[in-house]
Amino acid sequence: MILNYTWPINITVLSILFLGQKLNLRIVIGLALAFIGVVVIVTRGNIFSLEFHNTLGVILALGSSYIWAIYWVLNLKDGRSELVKLFAAFFYGTIYIFIYVLIFDSFILANYIYLVGAVYVGLFEMGITFFLWLKGLQLSSNKAKTATLVYISPFLSIIFIALVLNEKIFLSSLVGLFFIIVGILFQHIYVLSLIHI
């Protein structure tokens, strides 16, 4: 979860590489701080050994952050309204998944309770929450301040993970999260101007 929150950093990198955005000292410092945070998390604090405890998990989490960053950077070139783009992404995504399952898998479920999880993610993690987020930004008089609220969620997530799932939270995760958030906030004004919020 924490590694996934590197997507604002990746937006900056991709915007510099593919949109011709200017690189400045604020961006370099922010990226360096956030990168230190990522290294602290993936090595569980053993930053000089660079020993990864779950390399596949790290790759998948960082890959997810790149997918988000690519999504937002591509959105910069799309002039349609945010809600139309969101609907189109879900609509075509559903069609692509349907075709993939039809060709490579089956629609037989081992347990129908899995559908509850899929509906939950679709409605609350992606659908309704994205709609409310976009509506909040639209109604906000100061979009930069409103968008900064996204960085509250990693802190809340760590609390819920510890309390609800009884998962051990490593000190290195907290230290790494601190560096990531400081790095992102250090450059967030630049990033927010890129994604037009």
Side-chain angles (χ1 to χ4, degrees):
M1 184 279 301
I2 296 171
L3 292 176
N4 189 46
Y5 271 85
T6 59
W7 63 265
I9 302 163
N10 296 329
I11 286 177
T12 303
V13 172
L14 292 173
S15 296
I16 291 166
L17 294 176
F18 299 110
L19 299 176
Q21 301 295 315
K22 302 292 183 194
L23 186 65
N24 61 38
L25 186 59
R26 174 182 290 260
I27 297 168
V28 172
I29 292 171
L31 288 172
L33 288 171
F35 182 74
I36 290 169
V38 171
V39 172
V40 168
I41 292 168
V42 299
T43 62
R44 291 190 183 170
N46 298 317
I47 58 174
F48 297 109
S49 70
L50 289 180
E51 180 182 330
F52 299 97
H53 294 274
N54 186 341
T55 304
L56 178 60
V58 169
I59 291 169
L60 292 174
L62 289 175
S64 171
S65 74
Y66 274 101
I67 290 169
W68 274 115
I70 290 167
Y71 173 79
W72 288 114
V73 168
L74 290 176
N75 264 321
L76 293 173
K77 297 184 176 286
D78 191 341
R80 296 175 298 164
S81 78
E82 296 298 329
L83 289 178
V84 169
K85 290 188 281 189
L86 184 62
F87 174 80
F90 282 114
F91 178 76
Y92 288 109
T94 301
I95 291 173
Y96 299 147
I97 290 171
F98 179 83
I99 293 169
Y100 176 87
V101 171
L102 192 63
I103 295 171
F104 298 107
D105 210 324
S106 71
F107 289 96
I108 299 171
L109 292 174
N111 190 335
Y112 285 96
I113 197 70
Y114 299 148
L115 287 176
V116 175
V119 169
Y120 170 81
V121 169
L123 284 175
F124 297 105
E125 189 173 329
M126 303 298 289
I128 294 170
T129 51
F130 267 43
F131 174 78
L132 294 175
W133 176 249
L134 293 170
K135 197 66 174 171
L137 288 174
Q138 180 185 18
L139 297 173
S140 173
S141 60
N142 188 326
K143 293 175 181 12
K145 285 184 180 177
T146 302
T148 303
L149 295 174
V150 74
Y151 300 114
I152 293 173
S153 62
F155 295 103
L156 294 176
S157 295
I158 284 180
I159 292 169
F160 285 122
I161 286 170
L163 295 177
V164 176
L165 301 177
N166 294 321
E167 185 175 315
K168 182 179 178 182
I169 304 299
F170 294 100
L171 178 61
S172 59
S173 293
L174 297 175
V175 171
L177 177 61
F178 172 79
F179 276 100
I180 290 172
I181 298 301
V182 168
I184 290 170
L185 291 178
F186 193 80
Q187 60 170 339
H188 85 283
I189 294 172
Y190 173 79
V191 173
L192 295 178
S193 69
L194 290 179
I195 58 177
H196 303 292
I197 57 177

